[in-house]
Amino acid sequence: MKNIDSYSHVRGESLFVDDLITRQDTLYGLVFDAPVAHGIIKHIDYSEAENIEGVIKIFTYKDILGENQIGGIIPDEPLWAENEIHFWGQPIAFIVATSEAIAKKARKLIRIEIEKLPAITTAKEAKAKNSFINAPRSFHLGDTDNAFAHCDFIIEGETFSNGQEHLYLETQGCYAVPMENGNIKITSSTQGPTSVQKITARVLGVPMHKIEVDVIRLGGGFGGKEDQATPWAVMAAVAVQHLKKPVKFVLNRHDDLRMTGKRHPYESTFKIGLTKDLKITAFEAEFLQNSGAAADLSPAIAERTLFHATNSYYIPNVKTTVLSCKTNLPPNTAFRGFGGPQGMFVIESAIAKAAHIIGVEKERIQEANLLDENDTFSYGQIATQVEAKNTWRTAALNFKLEKIENEVRDFNAQNTQFKKGVSVMPITFGISFTNTPMNNARALVHIYQDGSVGVSTGAVEMGQSVNTKMLQVAYKTLGIHPSKVKLETTNTTRVANTSPTAASSTADLNGKAVLKACETLISRLSEVAANMLNAKASEVNFKNDAVFINNKKSPITWEDVIAQAMLDRVALTENAHYATPVIHFDKTKEKGHPFAYHVYGTAITTTTVNCLTGTYEIDSVKIIHDFGKSMNLGIDTGQVEGALIQGIGWMTMEEISYNKEGKLLSNALSTYKVPDIFSVPKTVEIAPLETKGNDMAILKSKAVGEPPLMYGIGAYFAIQNAVKAFNPNYEPKFHAPFTPEKVLMGLYE
């Protein structure tokens, strides 16, 4: 089945927040934000701005009737700054006017006096000044001290991986409308409707049932709308609470870039120990996470870094520590992979440096240490249904890895200006929210009198085609034509207390809930049909809009059964709840079984570097991916392609840049480069791994949103290998992204 939104997307008919028809009395919001990264507010003069015709009111923290606090995991982030400014772009006030143009004019007239304070912009600075978001976290397995004493090779080093801008096509936005009796309806571009509802209620000082949040779809999220869609909706709601009029607020691109957090930059150190047979027996790493000025989701992201610090390898002795460092940057946040990519880059860098010093191919160390059945992860979970070696060997065989490596060697021997590099990148990624209580979902399914069906879930459609998969689950389980099923918007009054659409778990959690609801309805309808046909309910099944008895088509249709069910007063609505079984994690011991299952894969990347200019091309990326039993291979393959390109962008060209004062310099698409059609791989081949699938995945179809992003890490090491082929004196550095400027310096250092 194709993405059910494709038709309306291509025709420009799909609705987003900015497409909603607004009421005639709608007002428009705009944020006045901090022009420094750290300081004390001495005085603000709003008088000129307030006197402009069309400015209705300028809201500040003084207008909040509840609590000036939007922090989720840790309550450390005010909606609007009070006395102290903590990052450049921090919201201070909210201008509401009759038009956005008037609000922009007013913003320029606000006068602010600030006593500037020193700004911390890097994680190393924060560590030196003992500036942290929370206490450090560590995972331990075995005894690294003892293991290092028996290693033949011990290698130490450091890495840096930069942030990444989400650059969703649809910027942050919302439309808040007053309803009866003090209720407010917010249409929000958010991955977390319940978070918006909960935080809005907190700030407004009202119960959650007063706030209805509706999400039609998002024009991209990538994690950037998990927590960071919330403040804009809350600001609009505060204005509605006071003014009793609708307020629309959609950020322009420059405001969005300046005021929102990115993927976390990491500054990390490692120590890796190997034996002569290239077995990694010990690994230690310290990850310095640049969290920004407030916690946001940093503690959870830091935790997932630890979960994925050893990637696809079994290492018997591990000690990893992560420190969430508080800096004067916008609070960094969720981004596809959620800390996993940052952790994987460090172990891959450690192996690359070990291979360079020992004098062997990196692939030899990688392959010698791949996970096997019943190996133990550093967090205590036993690996089962392991496909790490299977994907590696299948990729090597199907894509003829040895031939590729020989061709690269031959090319490099015959060419001076151009050099090729090849790398292999295995991935192992756990599927579940690492915060166990979040692993639950609900679905509300209505069958209407004419036999058509409405399905509501907590899943947010943001381009990943989750609605298509929910529709597939519903129509296949009910045995009806897909045209009979409608996916409703995601709404907190229909499906409440939802986890955000994140962690690659949305299809599994919500799909399992839809499955349960539909199976319950079919059980009821089977009784109705059995009575109609003088048969047993166990003999009934529904298929192709008809009723079958012992797999023989009967004379009655789906619609006939629904009509009879109405006469019999049988419930045609079901609200189902699903909670992932088995998973658990004890944070006091840092041990448990946090993941329902793991996704595996292997990518072979080939690049060509122009050794005169430092520019490069990604020649090909060839992937064997563990889809399980994909329920929609077209959609899933598209997800792998998109994630791969996003990962390549993070590793090669997307350079977030702040100056020492905390001002964003990469504040436009002229200064922040993302992959375009000329920078994507010339060839991408993706083949599914033959596998039985996993029962914990919806219809055995494994999650596919985040894991493939890590394939992009392979591009970094393929480029590095090309640089090494040109410059025998090159000492590998692990500073991502590997921009052409850095490549050029490496070629001629």
Side-chain angles (χ1 to χ4, degrees):
M1 171 176 277
K2 293 181 180 178
N3 181 344
I4 58 175
D5 284 335
S6 297
Y7 182 79
S8 57
H9 282 352
V10 172
R11 291 167 60 88
E13 295 172 353
S14 299
L15 296 178
F16 300 85
V17 170
D18 208 22
D19 298 314
L20 293 177
I21 296 173
T22 55
R23 276 180 24 181
Q24 191 173 8
D25 57 345
T26 295
L27 302 172
Y28 297 85
L30 188 70
V31 167
F32 170 69
D33 58 296
V36 300
H38 195 199
I40 303 296
I41 298 172
K42 307 302 288 185
H43 179 68
I44 308 179
D45 184 358
Y46 296 108
S47 58
E48 280 191 75
E50 289 172 327
N51 289 331
I52 293 177
E53 185 178 353
V55 172
I56 305 302
K57 182 173 174 61
I58 298 176
F59 291 90
T60 70
Y61 72 93
K62 296 176 182 178
D63 298 296
I64 289 173
L65 302 183
E67 187 180 350
N68 183 27
Q69 183 52 245
I70 60 171
I73 296 175
I74 298 173
D76 65 347
E77 184 176 0
L79 177 66
W80 290 307
E82 297 187 14
N83 301 312
E84 188 173 353
I85 289 164
H86 295 282
F87 64 92
W88 201 305
Q90 183 174 0
I92 296 173
F94 188 60
I95 306 160
V96 177
T98 53
S99 74
E100 189 176 351
I102 291 172
K104 286 181 179 178
K105 185 178 179 181
R107 181 163 71 175
K108 293 178 181 178
L109 296 176
I110 296 173
R111 304 287 176 253
I112 185 167
E113 182 184 337
I114 299 169
E115 178 189 333
K116 290 179 69 174
L117 297 173
I120 300 172
T121 59
T122 71
K124 281 185 178 179
E125 287 179 78
K127 182 185 178 184
K129 295 180 179 179
N130 207 31
S131 177
F132 300 108
I133 293 291
N134 61 346
R137 294 277 299 277
S138 292
F139 284 5
H140 298 263
L141 181 68
D143 182 350
T144 53
D145 289 339
N146 182 59
F148 277 121
H150 296 90
C151 287
D152 297 302
F153 305 101
I154 298 175
I155 294 95
E156 298 183 64
E158 59 181 28
T159 73
F160 172 78
S161 58
N162 209 334
Q164 187 176 19
E165 167 59 41
H166 301 86
L167 211 71
Y168 25 68
L169 289 178
E170 178 199 25
T171 57
Q172 304 277 10
C174 63
Y175 183 46
V177 180
M179 309 297 281
E180 294 180 327
N181 303 316
N183 300 324
I184 297 174
K185 179 177 180 179
I186 304 170
T187 304
S188 173
S189 181
T190 179
Q191 294 172 236
T194 294
S195 177
V196 171
Q197 180 191 29
K198 179 181 177 180
I199 301 300
T200 300
R202 177 200 294 171
V203 175
L204 270 58
V206 300
M208 285 176 68
H209 75 266
K210 288 285 186 181
I211 308 298
E212 175 188 350
V213 178
D214 191 73
V215 184
I216 310 167
R217 62 172 59 81
L218 312 186
F222 310 116
K225 295 176 181 175
E226 185 173 342
D227 261 29
Q228 300 217 350
T230 301
W232 327 114
V234 177
M235 291 177 197
V238 170
V240 169
Q241 185 183 39
H242 284 267
L243 302 174
K244 316 300 181 194
K245 289 186 177 183
V247 175
K248 183 176 181 180
F249 180 31
V250 177
L251 276 69
N252 65 47
R253 181 64 68 187
H254 288 290
D255 284 358
D256 194 303
L257 288 168
R258 183 177 66 256
M259 291 190 277
T260 61
K262 324 299 180 191
R263 183 189 293 282
H264 291 75
Y266 272 57
E267 296 173 84
S268 307
T269 55
F270 63 79
K271 181 179 179 182
I272 190 169
L274 302 90
T275 57
K276 288 178 180 177
D277 61 355
L278 303 182
K279 286 289 187 180
I280 305 171
T281 57
F283 178 66
E284 292 184 351
E286 181 182 75
F287 305 97
L288 300 184
Q289 178 198 66
N290 190 329
S291 304
D296 195 272
L297 292 165
S298 294
I301 292 163
E303 181 181 61
R304 190 171 277 269
T305 297
L306 296 179
F307 280 123
H308 293 89
T310 54
N311 191 13
S312 293
Y313 312 109
Y314 172 61
I315 305 175
N317 302 282
V318 178
K319 179 183 177 183
T320 52
T321 303
V322 62
L323 296 90
S324 294
C325 301
K326 185 173 183 176
T327 63
N328 296 114
L329 300 182
N332 287 314
T333 192
F335 200 123
R336 199 176 197 169
F338 205 75
Q342 293 96 316
M344 289 189 191
F345 179 65
V346 175
I347 183 66
E348 293 298 328
S349 298
I351 293 172
K353 185 165 185 180
H356 176 75
I357 290 175
I358 297 169
V360 298
E361 296 294 327
K362 183 188 177 193
E363 290 79 10
R364 285 188 58 196
I365 299 177
Q366 291 174 298
E367 188 173 11
N369 293 279
L370 290 171
L371 279 163
D372 217 336
E373 198 73 9
N374 297 319
D375 281 341
T376 304
F377 291 102
S378 64
Y379 44 90
Q381 183 164 340
I382 305 300
T384 58
Q385 293 185 253
V386 179
E387 303 288 359
K389 291 182 177 179
N390 196 3
T391 61
W392 180 287
R393 291 167 184 168
T394 304
L397 180 65
N398 289 13
F399 299 130
K400 299 178 174 60
L401 175 59
E402 188 175 347
K403 181 183 176 185
I404 291 171
E405 291 175 331
N406 288 334
E407 288 173 348
V408 166
R409 277 191 287 269
D410 291 344
F411 179 91
N412 290 342
Q414 297 167 18
N415 289 272
T416 303
Q417 182 178 340
F418 295 93
K419 296 291 183 182
K420 286 185 180 292
V422 63
S423 74
V424 184
M425 180 65 196
I427 65 161
T428 298
F429 194 84
I431 303 300
S432 288
F433 286 99
T434 55
N435 183 16
T436 302
M438 295 176 69
N439 292 283
N440 68 93
R442 278 150 302 288
L444 177 65
V445 179
H446 296 308
I447 301 175
Y448 296 102
Q449 294 181 36
D450 63 354
S452 61
V453 176
V455 176
S456 293
T457 74
V460 172
E461 173 59 54
M462 54 185 183
Q464 85 283 42
S465 306
V466 70
N467 279 354
T468 303
K469 289 188 173 182
M470 297 304 99
L471 186 145
Q472 285 183 265
V473 173
Y475 89 78
K476 288 180 178 178
T477 308
L478 297 174
I480 59 179
H481 193 272
S483 63
K484 287 185 167 69
V485 182
K486 175 191 177 188
L487 264 293
E488 306 288 355
T489 60
T490 310
N491 188 288
T492 55
T493 63
R494 289 194 299 272
V495 180
N497 306 320
T498 59
S499 295
T501 293
S504 302
S505 297
T506 305
D508 282 346
L509 294 173
N510 291 275
K512 292 272 191 178
V514 171
L515 183 67
K516 283 184 70 174
C518 291
E519 286 178 340
T520 301
L521 289 166
I522 283 295
S523 178
R524 288 184 203 144
L525 294 173
S526 293
E527 294 283 354
V528 175
N531 290 335
M532 294 172 71
L533 295 165
N534 294 317
K536 296 178 181 178
S538 60
E539 298 172 338
V540 174
N541 69 301
F542 292 82
K543 187 169 58 176
N544 300 329
D545 295 321
V547 178
F548 287 70
I549 301 296
N550 290 325
N551 293 318
K552 292 183 179 179
K553 189 174 182 180
S554 77
I556 65 173
T557 65
W558 166 260
E559 285 79 6
D560 294 333
V561 177
I562 301 307
Q564 187 61 47
M566 286 295 300
L567 294 174
D568 293 345
R569 297 179 293 174
V570 173
L572 294 177
T573 288
E574 184 61 26
N575 182 12
H577 175 87
Y578 175 77
T580 310
V582 180
I583 59 173
H584 60 89
F585 193 72
D586 185 342
K587 293 187 180 183
T588 63
K589 299 177 181 176
E590 303 290 22
K591 297 293 180 186
H593 186 103
F595 298 117
Y597 59 88
H598 289 80
V599 172
Y600 299 89
T602 298
I604 300 171
T605 303
T606 308
T607 60
T608 302
V609 172
N610 184 330
C611 300
L612 187 64
T613 63
T615 56
Y616 44 77
E617 291 183 337
I618 313 295
D619 300 323
S620 68
V621 182
K622 302 181 179 186
I623 297 169
I624 296 294
H625 187 76
D626 171 24
F627 292 103
K629 290 289 184 184
S630 175
M631 62 189 290
N632 196 315
L633 193 57
I635 284 172
D636 287 348
T637 300
Q639 284 292 292
V640 174
E641 291 172 343
L644 166 68
I645 304 308
Q646 203 164 39
I648 289 174
W650 172 55
M651 279 280 104
T652 66
M653 62 171 54
E654 297 185 41
E655 185 89 86
I656 294 283
S657 180
Y658 292 90
N659 67 14
K660 290 182 179 180
E661 295 184 338
K663 181 179 182 180
L664 181 67
L665 301 178
S666 50
N667 61 351
L669 291 180
S670 58
T671 51
Y672 183 75
K673 298 297 184 183
V674 296
D676 59 16
I677 193 64
F678 301 106
S679 51
V680 300
K682 294 178 185 176
T683 302
V684 176
E685 291 184 52
I686 301 163
L689 182 73
E690 289 296 324
T691 173
K692 295 178 181 178
N694 192 296
D695 289 331
M696 299 288 275
I698 180 63
L699 302 182
K700 297 190 176 183
S701 181
K702 285 190 174 184
V704 74
E706 292 173 290
L709 183 132
M710 274 64 82
Y711 292 135
I713 296 173
Y716 184 100
F717 295 99
I719 294 168
Q720 188 175 73
N721 287 337
V723 172
K724 288 170 64 178
F726 178 82
N727 180 4
N729 297 317
Y730 171 72
E731 285 297 323
K733 299 167 187 64
F734 306 99
H735 195 285
F738 210 172
T739 60
E741 292 85 352
K742 294 176 191 173
V743 171
L744 193 61
M745 288 189 286
L747 289 166
Y748 295 98
E749 68 178 19

